[in-house]
Amino acid sequence: MRRITVAKGDGIGPEIMEAVLQILEAAKANIEIDLVEIGEKMYKAGHTSGISKEAWNTIRKNKVFLKAPITTPQGGGYKSLNVTLRKTLGLYSNVRPCKSFYPFVNTKHPEMDVVIVRENEEDLYAGIEHQQTQEVVQCLKLISRPGCEKIIRYAFEYARHNNRKKVSCFVKDNIMKQTDGLFHQIFKEVSAEYPEIKTDSWIIDIGAARLADTPEIFDVVVTSNLYGDVLSDIAAQISGSVGLAGSANIGEQCAMFEAIHGSAPPIAGKNIANPSGLLRAAVMMLNHIGQQETAEKIKNAWSCVIEEGIHTEDIYKEGISKQLVSTKEFTTAVIDRLGNTPKQIQPANFTKGKVMQVPIYKRKPASAKVLKGVDVFVDWEGKDANKLAHALQKLNNGIELTMITNRGVKVWPNGFEETFCTDHWRCRFEDLNGNQVPQSAIPHIMSKAIEEEIDIIKSENLYEFDGNKGYSMGQGQ
Ligand code: NAD
């Protein structure tokens, strides 16, 4: 008997969770349930993160969590509980299979069978944002070597375990050479360890366009957090309906299973929501806890219902569907077919007895890190970069002003008058001969700036790692 934690969530959450629990019980899943309250009620009771200490304890004790969607209240300093849960529990991998069930569910992509493996903990979802000047705010995009390596290795292990043939990497490293560049580089390194699996790499814009247009050319897609968030909703929607897809959030110790859709407040309580996304998440959960036979039984019963054309409103289509049903009727239809095998949709055949093991990340040996200069960011309302450069050159003290950019584009030396400038200037100081710079040069620049009444809002040190520049050039440099 495996104890799991269950949260019924908000909006349509309680009714679709009720449906899923009834099916799990009827299929005799070998589980025992601890219910926790999270989401709207807890936010309103004063827990700004939407979860109580007791709920955390239960989730951490049981390690496996089946969660219905919750509503994140707008504004008011509320943090998304979904993001908090994923990050606090170290659920680094978000796996979202998106398969079409044509001709039973309408889709333009009958052959589609894509699994999106999305990094779940970092990228812009670190949520570190600052307003720095009147005109400019920033959000830090944090990409780490462990973060990339863990998710990419997970994608290859998933492909190997599930007999998938290809892993595709989606990045934007033609622009973000450090962050997306690191992801792509690690993809190349890790892929070498899986020679039997084909690989390709896509710039996210054209890759997303091809995924929306010809998804059948993709198998497993691995990508960073924000791209994966967008791509997986698109992939789920074009496979038939966002209401159909489930997802697994996997960490080294805990795992959480949920539908990919939200709490759909407008249809809550109407008994019309499709419970399939959460049910398919529950099937992933049963696989995760080693109950593959029950997982197969439920998946097959669900496939029978879908191929018989018994459909909830979101996927019902005249000419394709046979019977429009409520959430409760859909649930009964699945329960009635437990033990049946689908005739046209391929029956489930989950790998039994072999649990997917992902090697634990091992920290790499440190590389030689050499300070080569500093970028200081200045809040300045003027427009003529030559004037700013003139003021900043008073801060030179062995390391010298070499470049000024505005929103990344070089405006000094030799800027163009057509370039639009905000009040946010990146000013680079380096040793003119390319030598190592003493750490003491940086506070010297800062204190001199105070004397000269130059408003420095932040600085970034410029390092080389094993002789490779760890910072971007200015656009146009
Ligand atoms: P949503 O996914 O709730 O709804 C999008 C559309 O899909 C709506 O038209 C909805 O009616 C429909 N839909 C969704 N699930 C369905 C189902 N099972 N059956 C039939 N139709 C379904 O997205 P949203 O409207 O952007 O978000 C609503 C709330 O959900 C927000 O508070 C958001 O923060 C939250 N949310 C929660 C999660 C989660 O808990 N994992 C995920 C996404 C959004």
Side-chain angles (χ1 to χ4, degrees):
M1 184 70 72
R2 179 69 196 247
R3 272 200 110 77
I4 63 160
T5 309
V6 166
K8 294 191 174 177
D10 303 316
I12 59 171
E15 51 201 296
I16 59 172
M17 183 59 88
E18 201 47 53
V20 169
L21 294 181
Q22 278 176 20
I23 295 168
L24 285 170
E25 192 183 354
K28 301 195 170 38
N30 197 14
I31 54 175
E32 215 162 305
I33 283 163
D34 286 326
L35 268 183
V36 293
E37 185 75 65
I38 58 167
E40 231 174 356
K41 256 196 214 149
M42 301 313 284
Y43 283 119
K44 287 185 178 151
H47 298 275
T48 48
S49 56
I51 182 166
S52 66
K53 204 166 158 233
E54 295 71 37
W56 271 127
N57 288 344
T58 310
I59 292 166
R60 291 179 69 198
K61 179 168 61 80
N62 291 340
K63 311 254 183 271
V64 175
F65 184 22
L66 180 63
K67 178 186 145 296
I70 53 168
T71 304
T72 311
Q74 302 277 306
Y78 297 114
K79 282 277 181 191
S80 160
L81 175 56
N82 293 314
V83 177
T84 306
L85 280 165
R86 291 169 189 158
K87 293 178 66 166
T88 312
L89 296 173
L91 309 177
Y92 66 92
S93 179
N94 191 326
V95 185
R96 298 182 162 187
C98 300
K99 180 174 164 39
S100 72
F101 293 95
Y102 187 83
F104 313 108
V105 178
N106 196 33
T107 168
K108 295 186 184 111
H109 308 290
E111 305 296 325
M112 177 173 184
D113 184 5
V114 181
V115 180
I116 311 276
V117 178
R118 161 190 170 194
E119 200 289 322
N120 224 7
E121 292 183 292
E122 52 187 40
D123 191 2
L124 290 156
Y125 289 66
I128 304 174
E129 295 190 295
H130 298 95
Q131 177 166 3
Q132 297 177 323
T133 66
Q134 288 298 320
E135 294 178 339
V136 176
V137 288
Q138 76 163 15
C139 178
L140 285 185
K141 173 164 167 136
L142 292 179
I143 299 288
S144 71
R145 175 168 269 278
C148 296
E149 199 172 313
K150 281 164 71 175
I151 193 65
I152 292 166
R153 199 173 287 290
Y154 187 94
F156 279 96
E157 287 293 330
Y158 181 93
R160 187 177 266 176
H161 190 78
N162 293 283
N163 203 22
R164 298 262 172 179
K165 305 290 178 236
K166 187 171 81 165
V167 179
S168 304
C169 170
F170 277 36
V171 280
K172 186 82 183 172
D173 62 340
N174 53 337
I175 304 294
M176 285 162 279
K177 294 179 198 295
Q178 294 293 327
T179 48
D180 284 29
L182 179 65
F183 194 95
H184 196 177
Q185 180 202 322
I186 294 174
F187 179 79
K188 288 182 200 154
E189 285 170 23
V190 173
S191 65
E193 297 173 38
Y194 299 84
E196 79 281 17
I197 297 170
K198 285 193 208 132
T199 59
D200 56 16
S201 299
W202 297 79
I203 297 294
I204 180 74
D205 37 9
I206 188 63
R210 290 302 297 274
L211 181 70
D213 183 59
T214 35
E216 60 279 3
I217 65 172
F218 296 105
D219 191 344
V220 175
V221 170
V222 65
T223 190
S224 52
N225 205 342
L226 178 61
Y227 305 149
D229 193 359
V230 178
L231 283 182
S232 57
D233 267 31
I234 294 173
Q237 183 64 38
I238 65 171
S239 73
S241 160
V242 75
L244 283 179
S247 83
N249 299 268
I250 308 284
E252 279 163 13
Q253 298 180 49
C254 299
M256 177 171 85
F257 300 85
E258 58 184 345
I260 82 151
H261 59 74
S263 58
I267 62 166
K270 294 187 175 164
N271 190 25
I272 57 173
N274 188 346
S276 298
L278 189 58
L279 185 63
R280 293 178 69 202
V283 168
M284 292 167 96
M285 178 191 77
L286 290 171
N287 268 315
H288 179 78
I289 59 176
Q291 298 187 22
Q292 281 87 5
E293 274 163 27
T294 318
E296 278 178 4
K297 201 201 254 183
I298 294 175
K299 173 74 195 323
N300 285 340
W302 177 84
S303 298
C304 291
V305 173
I306 295 295
E307 70 180 21
E308 285 175 42
I310 302 169
H311 293 167
T312 43
E313 203 175 279
D314 57 315
I315 56 169
Y316 184 86
K317 198 155 173 67
E318 275 314 324
I320 294 180
S321 307
K322 299 275 179 324
Q323 193 187 346
L324 176 62
V325 289
S326 65
T327 312
K328 285 186 177 148
E329 289 163 338
F330 186 90
T331 309
T332 308
V334 174
I335 291 172
D336 287 347
R337 286 157 185 78
L338 287 169
N340 294 5
T341 307
K343 295 188 177 57
Q344 296 179 71
I345 295 176
Q346 198 176 13
N349 180 16
F350 299 128
T351 315
K352 294 178 195 70
K354 218 171 71 183
V355 178
M356 186 178 136
Q357 296 285 0
V358 184
I360 300 286
Y361 174 78
K362 287 198 198 80
R363 183 166 268 173
K364 299 280 172 293
S367 44
K369 179 180 173 187
V370 176
L371 184 64
K372 303 296 279 192
V374 64
D375 278 348
V376 294
F377 290 76
V378 172
D379 181 349
W380 185 63
E381 281 181 7
K383 291 289 165 218
D384 181 355
N386 290 313
K387 277 193 189 156
L388 179 61
H390 184 68
L392 286 165
Q393 278 164 334
K394 294 186 186 142
L395 316 185
N396 289 351
N397 69 326
I399 64 170
E400 304 202 6
L401 182 71
T402 56
M403 175 184 77
I404 302 176
T405 68
N406 196 293
R407 291 188 300 177
V409 66
K410 185 180 69 118
V411 292
W412 184 91
N414 309 322
F416 290 180
E417 65 184 42
E418 292 86 347
T419 307
F420 181 84
C421 290
T422 68
D423 56 4
H424 186 273
W425 307 80
R426 172 180 60 167
C427 310
R428 177 161 291 175
F429 289 81
E430 294 167 288
D431 179 278
L432 289 183
N433 299 316
N435 294 328
Q436 180 167 5
V437 166
Q439 199 87 30
S440 58
I442 296 171
H444 182 93
I445 288 178
M446 301 295 172
S447 53
K448 198 80 178 46
I450 294 169
E451 275 174 35
E452 298 292 332
E453 298 187 348
I454 294 169
D455 184 5
I456 292 185
I457 49 174
K458 75 159 192 169
S459 69
E460 293 282 354
N461 293 358
L462 307 177
Y463 291 109
E464 272 183 10
F465 291 85
D466 283 342
N468 298 316
K469 277 195 168 67
Y471 47 94
S472 55
M473 311 287 278
Q475 286 152 355
Q477 192 181 12

